[in-house]
Amino acid sequence: MTMITAPELEIAVLVLGMAILLVEAFAAKIDKRVLAFVGIAGLALVLVASFFVTPGSSTSQATGFWSFYTADRLSIFFKQFSLVTTIFVLILMTDYAPVLRSSFPGATLQAGLGEFFALPIFTCVGLMYLVSAIDFVFIFVSLELVTISFYVLVSFTRRNPITLEAGTKYLVLSALSTAFLVYGIAWIFGVTGQTNLQQIADALANPATDRNAALFGMVLILVALGFKIAAVPFQIWVPDVYQGAPTPVTAYLSVGSKAAGFVVLLRVLEPFLALPQTQRLIVVIALLTLIYGNLAALPQANLKRLLAYSSIAHAGYLLIGVACFDASAIGFYLVAYLLMTLLSFAVLIIVAQQTGEQIDDFDGLAKRSPFLAFAMLIGMISLAGVPFTAGFLGKFFIFYAAILQHQTALVVTGVITVGCGFYYYLKVIRAMYWQSSARVDKIPVNGLSRLAISALIIATIWLGVYPQPILDALKR
Amino acid sequence: MVLFIIFCPIMAAILIMAGAPARKTALAGSILAFAAALFLLVSFDRVQHDFQHVTSFTISPEWHLSFTTGIDGLSLVMILLATIVTLAAIWFAGTIERYESAFYACLLFISGGAIGAFASIDLFFFYAFHELALIPTFLLIGIWGSGNRVAAAWKITIYLAIGSFILLLGLILLYQSFPASTRSLDIRALTAAAALGQIGADAQRHVYLLLLIGFGILISLFPFHTWAPEAYASAPAPAAMLHAGVLKKFGLYGLLRLALPLLPEGSRHWAGLLVVLLLGNIIYVGLVTIAQKRLDWMLGYSSVMHMGYIFLGVASATILSTTGAVVLMFAHGLSIALLFALAGELRKRTDTLVFDELGGLAKVMPFASLAFGFGVFAAIGLPGLANFAGEIMIFFGAFKNGWEMDRFHIFQIATVLALWGVVISTVYMLRAYRKTFMGALSDRWKEIVDLRFSLRLPIVVLIGALLCYGFFPQSLVQTVAPVLRTYLTEQHPPSASTQRGGNNIQQIAWR
């Protein structure tokens, strides 16, 4: 068997995306959902192939392509993470297709569906490149690939004014954050003369380097990445964009985009760890994010908006991990977050088509569809952090790292905000199980979604009891 | 065998959720668990003080995390309590109108979680299992509760969630206070390492405080008790039986299991604070209990108050008092379950539990009033019922702690004040009995019928266990004392714990 190298994975996904676009353009007659299934199958093949890639180690001596691209264990792991996310997002999109059609009045039945299924695949390529990037130029290019495909996806149902608002907000603020990123890169390049992260670290170790200027550049980059991961005070766009975007895209934004942001953050911060100000800065951002995300989520009545604020709150917990610089704790948390967030969004998409996105619309779901209610229950308790779910172990590893480093402020705030979390996540459970609703008709769930949701439930509980596979994969 | 007891209720719950007939499956599961617990009790080797029936599945070698279960005397007693109360609670639940299968599944999850926590030797599962009860309790109170159920459900859930995360911090800190070479999540390994003095005094103080608050919230230690009366008053009777009877005892069990052997310095350091708080439980909450005007609230407060005695036994850390604490935990679990069960049946018949509206019910419900009488006398601590044995051992043991000829140590003062608690509980319990069952029968209640025969069985089981261990507390003492003796003699010189004979109870304990 021939060996597969890491860059071939991205090329395969890229070819897949192109192929789907071409088929979409020339075969106008087919049911466009076939494209989604082809995409899912293709990505699944790449996912399988990715397990045969041997991770390499990045060295500062690497030249050419390998000076900006690394295939270390962390990057392979997050490539698989991106693939899994995209597969689930495509499944969610097939469920969402009817909504999409109804938002194009007058157009043909299948208008726009082809691009809707093809764009996530290009986003996936961007995410896969991003997690491998170890050079600022390459980070910038792959980040733009992700962001630009999101511009289109977020405003896809553009006849809807709320979506249009979301699209504009996302476009303007992302462009702004990109400007910060480029400016930051310029400062760091100006100080060190390098764009490769390893060489920047070497340059910063040299006492002759102007550290204050480098730190300023780092802060600018932190602002840009703060937008991506939705850290306070760069979270303003999150609630409106999450609420306005098509729901599968919201799920993709909150999982894929955030995970890639954290991987880049870890890589970018590594050279700056020698500077003591870095950690203090991250601690402050983490505290603000935890407090803001959790408090703002408390009064929400719209589930999609609630999940937006909860994604800010989870960024706060992840930032605790960043402040302690524990890559495996962050990695595990992201995996848990992927499972429980996609689970919640999957149920939300199905229920929202029947009733709506408000928490009240979930009233009596336990009677109408015990399966969906149970899935949502698992998603919510995992987000809240109840043991025997992946979400609990994620918090456990994060708190473990924080206590080990005596980050008392982070730990105390973390525990209080976990209490808030229990309140707003249980509000959803309360609606589903306590309240009764006037409607008693069953909610249909198609086979593929049932399979996907079952897989997510099982994975959430499985990793909550047996986390070792992920911990092994994350070992450097 | 231990795994079988843990997974009996949990498997039954999963089967019920998958569509099995709810009540039958639940009853079968709890009867099987009870039978298995009896088998363990019979086959238990009382001479050995180590864990028995140990099974272990490795989960994460680098974290020393494994799913390890086993029982020693202490956990055996708690598992026996859990299975008895589960059986009684499930039997009592009867037919549920709304979401019957969810109701039984929730009850079984609470029970399985408690049993799992008692049987876990691994710290992670010890913690995780007890949290299994959190969401079912929220649903039980929220869906099937009465009175101010919404506020009560939120209060108990948020309180216990924060408490359990404080506990989690304590456990993580405990794990990290050991040197890296002996770090383990296995309680046996930690106990062995702590006996070698590998955990520093400072760390012990910090960890103990976190554990005290974390467990204290679950046990409803004053001033963290405010969730308890409200929740128990609103909860459906079987949920209150399981929560007050079994789950609350997990906190005390945790303190005995972890604080006693691992953190002796911590418990010495915080003993003064704990004594003040537990007197808050006994005196302050006791007086509040007297002021209650409803039976369910009165029972809720009384269950908070009785935790004070058990804390006194744990805090004074002599073998006699800690053994007494375990006996009282067992006895209180049975008696409060009995009282909540009867209060629940009363509520079904009268739709009110306000004292002023009740009265004279003994005429129409002779069996219930007799059974309630047993519960009342047990709660007061009358000889012949198991509570008496526990309380008197606690009082003797606590009075002995720190005893010097010429002055009163804090534990003597606490014991004297705690004895007044017995008077307080006599006042409120007898008053409740008189207002509910004695006096003139109102016309409204003329049509009320007594308990059905099938409901009398679980009541008889609970009273039988109370009487049995009231007359023969030795069997409990002999099961528990060896474990506690190893915990307490590993730090203290033997002379301090060897008591001079002189009264019967001590001779019972040392036989």
Side-chain angles (χ1 to χ4, degrees), chain A residues 112-411:
Chain A
L113 272 184
E115 293 93 328
F116 195 58
F117 295 139
L119 277 169
I121 297 175
F122 292 110
T123 315
C124 182
V125 179
L127 292 173
M128 288 169 76
Y129 275 129
L130 196 55
V131 297
S132 276
I134 48 167
D135 185 291
F136 269 126
V137 175
F138 197 48
I139 289 177
F140 178 77
V141 173
S142 29
L143 200 60
E144 283 311 282
L145 178 54
V146 174
T147 312
I148 291 173
S149 43
F150 267 126
Y151 291 154
V152 185
L153 282 172
V154 167
S155 48
F156 210 85
T157 50
R158 57 189 176 281
R159 301 283 169 89
N160 184 342
I162 298 177
T163 307
L164 203 57
E165 183 196 334
T168 317
K169 270 195 177 146
Y170 187 67
L171 177 68
V172 172
L173 287 175
S174 276
L176 188 65
S177 83
T178 306
F180 274 103
L181 183 64
V182 179
Y183 194 40
I185 292 174
W187 269 85
I188 290 173
F189 181 72
V191 174
T192 61
Q194 302 291 346
T195 53
N196 179 289
L197 291 171
Q198 185 61 46
Q199 285 164 359
I200 290 173
D202 295 345
L204 283 175
N206 183 355
T209 314
D210 181 357
R211 293 205 172 166
N212 284 334
L215 198 66
F216 180 64
M218 195 273 296
V219 170
L220 290 174
I221 292 175
L222 207 57
V223 170
L225 291 176
F227 274 103
K228 301 285 168 232
I229 61 174
V232 175
F234 316 111
Q235 87 300 346
I236 308 290
W237 61 279
V238 170
D240 291 336
V241 172
Y242 276 32
Q243 191 179 0
T247 315
V249 178
T250 309
Y252 206 12
L253 260 183
S254 78
V255 178
S257 173
K258 178 167 291 186
F262 272 101
V263 177
V264 173
L265 193 61
L266 278 180
R267 288 208 199 279
V268 169
L269 282 181
E270 211 165 356
F272 295 91
L273 277 184
L275 311 176
Q277 294 95 326
T278 315
Q279 198 188 28
R280 254 175 276 158
L281 190 63
I282 305 273
V283 168
V284 172
I285 295 179
L287 283 176
L288 291 176
T289 310
L290 277 175
I291 294 171
Y292 177 86
N294 281 291
L295 289 188
L298 286 177
Q300 299 307 323
N302 180 302
L303 184 55
K304 223 166 144 188
R305 215 171 164 80
L306 173 71
L307 285 172
Y309 282 107
S310 109
S311 106
I312 299 176
H314 285 282
Y317 296 113
L318 283 158
L319 279 169
I320 298 183
V322 176
C324 306
F325 217 77
D326 189 331
S328 58
I330 295 173
F332 190 89
Y333 200 100
L334 283 171
V335 172
Y337 181 71
L338 163 116
L339 297 172
M340 55 209 189
T341 307
L342 288 180
L343 186 56
S344 322
F345 276 113
V347 179
L348 173 65
I349 287 172
I350 297 173
V351 176
Q353 290 179 35
Q354 300 283 327
T355 47
E357 285 169 359
Q358 301 294 319
I359 294 179
D360 296 349
D361 295 326
F362 280 71
D363 283 358
L365 186 66
K367 266 268 188 293
R368 299 184 64 191
S369 172
F371 174 71
L372 287 179
F374 181 71
M376 200 61 162
L377 173 79
I378 297 293
M380 288 295 135
I381 64 173
S382 183
L383 284 166
V386 173
F388 296 121
T389 60
F392 169 74
L393 272 178
K395 288 207 170 68
F396 173 80
F397 292 133
I398 294 277
F399 280 130
Y400 184 87
I403 295 176
L404 201 58
Q405 301 210 1
H406 304 292
Q407 297 281 5
T408 317
L410 285 176
V411 171

Side-chain angles (χ1 to χ4, degrees), chain A residues 367 381 385 387-388 392-393 397 400 403-404 411 415 418-419 422-423 426-427 429 433-434 465-466 468 475, chain B residues 59-60 62-63 98-99 124-125 127-128 131 134-135 142-143 153-154 157-158 161 165 169 172-173 175-176:
Chain A
K367 266 268 188 293
I381 64 173
F388 296 121
F392 169 74
L393 272 178
F397 292 133
Y400 184 87
I403 295 176
L404 201 58
V411 171
V415 167
V418 163
F422 269 92
Y423 173 73
L426 290 192
K427 268 205 312 199
I429 296 178
Y433 284 91
W434 294 15
V465 181
Y466 189 68
Q468 198 55 26
K475 263 184 218 144
Chain B
I59 286 185
S60 171
E62 66 200 281
W63 287 84
R98 222 171 134 216
Y99 298 130
F124 175 80
F125 284 94
Y127 172 84
E131 276 275 270
L134 188 73
I135 301 297
I143 303 176
W154 280 123
T157 310
I158 305 286
F165 266 84
L169 297 187
I172 293 177
L173 197 62
Y175 178 80
Q176 289 177 355

Side-chain angles (χ1 to χ4, degrees), chain B residues 359-370:
Chain B
L361 291 177
K363 293 191 184 77
V364 283
M365 302 176 74
F367 179 83
S369 77
L370 177 70

Side-chain angles (χ1 to χ4, degrees), chain B residues 50 108 147 173 261 321 463:
Chain B
D50 269 342
L108 288 166
L173 197 62
S321 68
I463 295 178

